[in-house]
Amino acid sequence: MEKVTSLNHQYLRVTVDQISEQGMEGYRSRILQQNRIKGLLQMDKRYLDNVCYYYYDVTSMNSLENLIAQGTITSGRLNRMFEILGETLEHMNSYLMKQEDLCLRPECMLEKEETGDWFFLYIPEYQEKQRQDAEHLAEFMLQHVEGLEEETVENLYRFYSDVIQVGEDLSAGGLIKLWNRAFQKQEEEILDAEPKQEMICAEPAFVYTGEKLFSNDQDGRKKRGRIYQVPYREKDFSVNDN
């Protein structure tokens, strides 16, 4: 895999073995070229000197690798990335695309500068194991924690710990669950650390709402009184002026 420039466009170029245009392999290749799945990089299939290449347009995009190395990544952007990755998997399922064909390496997860949307590299018949990609991704994050906010660093350590403990079959969907679980652990610890405060219920204050004439039972004369209402209650409480 390499990055190339052509006609003011930047591409990730992947050298691939000859893939049949028939069957599911051909189907998935055509789907990518038609750019029909939101969240996947658009692909163009080209032949140079009898060698087949996949070109993925990454113009005006920043890879996760660069964002982390430059110290410009934040927990919000990381959460956004995993959120969009989950949405992308749902779109892929609708088109019978295999999530095992996603390349989960940091250089292959890219953010669009103008919109903040994330895009991912899909390689039909991808031969690498996603567990290896996931371990590399988690390890790369830990190697570049300098300058990140404390909460993000703690989250990354939890994420890495969970990734290395998972068995061989770690999919993209499983990676998302590990990320969410690591973040949830952090939230639960924050909640557990907060002191429990006793709730005190006080009687709400009366609110003046207007005036009304009331009958005096003793002499039958009308007297003006004020109407008060307790907030969040239906009943009005009236008090006569003497």
Side-chain angles (χ1 to χ4, degrees):
M1 184 183 304
E2 58 183 337
K3 199 167 186 178
V4 297
T5 302
S6 177
L7 299 177
N8 297 323
H9 280 259
Q10 291 185 324
Y11 299 91
L12 283 178
R13 186 171 72 177
V14 179
T15 304
V16 295
D17 296 331
Q18 184 65 34
I19 295 179
S20 173
E21 296 293 338
Q22 306 299 321
M24 292 303 297
E25 294 86 354
Y27 161 78
R28 294 185 177 108
S29 177
R30 290 191 296 272
I31 288 293
L32 284 177
Q33 294 178 73
Q34 294 169 5
N35 193 30
R36 298 174 64 179
I37 301 180
K38 184 178 180 181
L40 295 184
L41 291 169
Q42 183 177 5
M43 184 266 282
D44 184 23
K45 189 176 183 180
R46 305 180 186 180
Y47 292 90
L48 300 175
D49 298 327
N50 295 322
V51 179
C52 181
Y53 297 96
Y54 286 156
Y55 279 73
Y56 298 86
D57 194 346
V58 296
T59 306
S60 301
M61 294 185 185
N62 249 327
S63 69
L64 178 64
E65 179 182 45
N66 290 337
L67 292 173
I68 291 180
Q70 295 167 3
T72 57
I73 197 68
T74 63
S75 59
R77 293 169 87 173
L78 287 172
N79 287 328
R80 176 66 174 160
M81 182 190 74
F82 279 100
E83 178 184 352
I84 295 180
L85 178 58
E87 296 173 354
T88 302
L89 291 180
E90 293 181 2
H91 298 316
M92 288 170 51
N93 290 336
S94 300
Y95 286 89
L96 303 178
M97 307 291 277
K98 298 190 302 182
Q99 62 172 281
E100 292 81 7
D101 288 340
L102 276 176
C103 182
L104 300 176
R105 300 179 66 85
E107 63 268 28
C108 301
M109 309 168 84
L110 301 108
E111 182 188 46
K112 190 77 171 178
E113 296 177 0
E114 295 86 351
T115 63
D117 291 330
W118 287 85
F119 295 84
F120 307 95
L121 180 67
Y122 185 99
I123 306 176
E125 299 305 306
Y126 184 48
Q127 299 300 317
E128 298 295 332
K129 295 182 180 179
Q130 283 194 342
R131 176 179 173 79
Q132 295 175 352
D133 286 351
E135 288 184 353
H136 173 72
L137 173 65
E139 183 178 356
F140 180 82
M141 289 179 174
L142 284 186
Q143 292 173 348
H144 298 81
V145 297
E146 298 85 358
L148 298 181
E149 59 268 31
E150 182 178 352
E151 291 182 356
T152 301
V153 174
E154 293 177 357
N155 200 18
L156 293 178
Y157 272 101
R158 291 186 179 91
F159 177 62
Y160 174 78
S161 177
D162 287 344
V163 168
I164 62 176
Q165 294 182 42
V166 174
E168 289 295 326
D169 297 328
L170 178 60
S171 63
L175 190 69
I176 296 173
K177 291 180 180 179
L178 292 181
W179 177 268
N180 292 336
R181 187 171 71 178
F183 183 79
Q184 185 64 30
K185 284 181 181 178
Q186 184 184 55
E187 290 295 319
E188 291 174 353
E189 290 180 3
I190 292 175
L191 293 175
D192 291 340
E194 293 180 351
K196 300 294 187 299
Q197 297 182 354
E198 182 179 357
M199 298 298 294
I200 302 177
C201 298
E203 184 70 14
F206 288 137
V207 178
Y208 174 67
T209 60
E211 293 185 349
K212 185 178 180 179
L213 294 176
F214 295 91
S215 297
N216 189 311
D217 293 337
Q218 295 181 353
D219 55 16
R221 291 182 300 175
K222 299 286 187 180
K223 290 189 176 182
R224 186 174 299 278
R226 294 191 298 272
I227 302 174
Y228 294 83
Q229 185 179 28
V230 178
Y232 310 111
R233 295 186 181 181
E234 297 180 355
K235 183 179 179 180
D236 286 350
F237 292 82
S238 301
V239 179
N240 291 333
D241 289 337
N242 293 325

